[in-house]
Amino acid sequence: MTDGAVTDEATPAGGVTAARGFRAAGVTAGLKESGNPDLALVVNDGPEFTAAAVFTSNRVVGAPVMWSRQAVKDGVARAVVLNSGGANVCTGPGGFQDAHATAEKVASELGIGAIDVLVGSTGLIGVRLAADKLLAGIPVAVGALTADAAGAQAAATAIMTTDTVAKTAVRTVETPAGTFTVGGMAKGAGMLAPALATMLCVVTTDAVVPADEADAALRAATRVTFDRVDSDGAMSTSDTVVLMASGASGVAPDLDVLTEAVTAVCADLARQLVADAEGASHDIAITVTNATTEDAALAVARAVSRSNLVKAAIFGNDPNWGRILSQVGTVPEEIAPYDPTELDVSVNGVMVCKAGGAYEPREKVDMAASRDVTITVDLHAGAAEVTLWTNDLTHDYVHENSAYSS
């Protein structure tokens, strides 16, 4: 790797405005019955306007995803407007018109083209947005734009739905040519499953980045971060992760240096999503080691993370390795070859299963002392390793999702 050190020391505050060339705002447009902030805007003031984005792989998508997929194809975006209080999904032609009108209104207020405005929405599916309130809120958001940390925090707060805290991250990178910064914000607390995990996320950098490299860095980062968060197995219709580069630092990092920094920010935000997962009392890191391939390791980790029995056991502080091993066995041999009689399982560092059978007493595992739980499955089949993050299944998750509103 070329010289370029990602550091947390003396990291500037500000989330999406930590990188030079960006302003942000978060305001209340009245989309939420609660009266909480519900409209965010992030603007790239340049001098460059590079952008890349990745979206949900769900076949049912919202109008904002449809709009933004097309708008970002040229590798350019000057603003992202995001709302909570309604997902604008399954709302027909009228919903797409609302997304288009939102981009047009932002463009008009900023004096730019609508094709350079990306749109993101989150909230209830199947309910038409109150477009009049949304459009009326845009001039207010434009008037509130600021490059300081308060604007970034306001924007991160405005995109929250069932989130209990706003989520931001920043990394600075020292290179021989100078310093550049990557900042970001995300929302997400439920429907966290690939592709991406349910989220709206904006990442900004003041590095000088060609569009193809921005796309490559973002896809490499999401593959090992957001795509490895699997809270509840429910894939969203609205996942959107946007990377914008202003070039304001004048630093043009090598692709691997940029990718490392973007990945660090995405990893930080992904962990925050899991830590705020709806009703969760444990954050669970599932590591599969010694698999034949990375895909094999990921398939096994995914199988364990999707088990309600495993997740309920963790909620009860029970290191039930039988449930874990049972899930490992659901992965077809052609996807993940291994010998079932050689499988080892450790929970919080205690090997409770060795060579496919009981080993250390489960009473040695302390799961009540910390929110963090580690599950390690050793396949003894190769050299590949993957870690996936999930959480436990609690009474609060059931309650929150049986009474969900925007």
Side-chain angles (χ1 to χ4, degrees), residues 276-301:
D276 197 28
E278 292 171 343
S281 63
H282 288 95
D283 302 339
I284 309 167
I286 302 170
T287 299
V288 177
T289 65
N290 297 315
T292 52
T293 66
E294 184 177 311
D295 286 344
L298 185 58
V300 172

Side-chain angles (χ1 to χ4, degrees), residues 62-222:
V65 170
M66 297 177 191
W67 169 268
S68 297
R69 277 177 175 167
Q70 295 300 314
V72 81
K73 276 188 173 182
D74 62 357
V76 174
R78 300 184 63 157
V80 183
V81 58
L82 314 102
N83 73 271
S84 52
N88 196 4
V89 177
C90 299
T91 49
F96 188 82
Q97 291 170 7
D98 292 339
H100 187 180
T102 301
E104 290 278 6
K105 183 64 174 178
V106 171
S108 175
E109 291 292 322
L110 295 176
I112 60 178
I115 197 63
D116 292 333
V117 178
L118 307 185
V119 180
S121 298
T122 181
L124 284 174
I125 293 172
V127 178
R128 185 89 178 264
L129 285 172
D132 55 340
K133 294 180 179 179
L134 177 58
L135 297 178
I138 289 171
V140 179
V142 171
L145 285 169
T146 176
D148 63 25
Q153 187 66 23
T157 300
I159 59 175
M160 292 167 55
T161 50
T162 58
D163 306 67
T164 64
V165 294
K167 302 167 179 68
T168 64
V170 178
R171 296 293 186 276
T172 57
V173 184
E174 299 288 345
T175 76
T179 300
F180 73 92
T181 298
V182 179
M185 69 176 186
K187 63 79 54 182
M191 289 185 79
L192 297 178
L196 298 186
T198 297
M199 61 176 53
L200 297 180
C201 175
V202 178
V203 179
T204 60
T205 181
D206 51 22
V208 177
V209 186
D212 60 339
E213 292 192 4
D215 184 74
L218 183 61
R219 291 181 185 278
T222 58

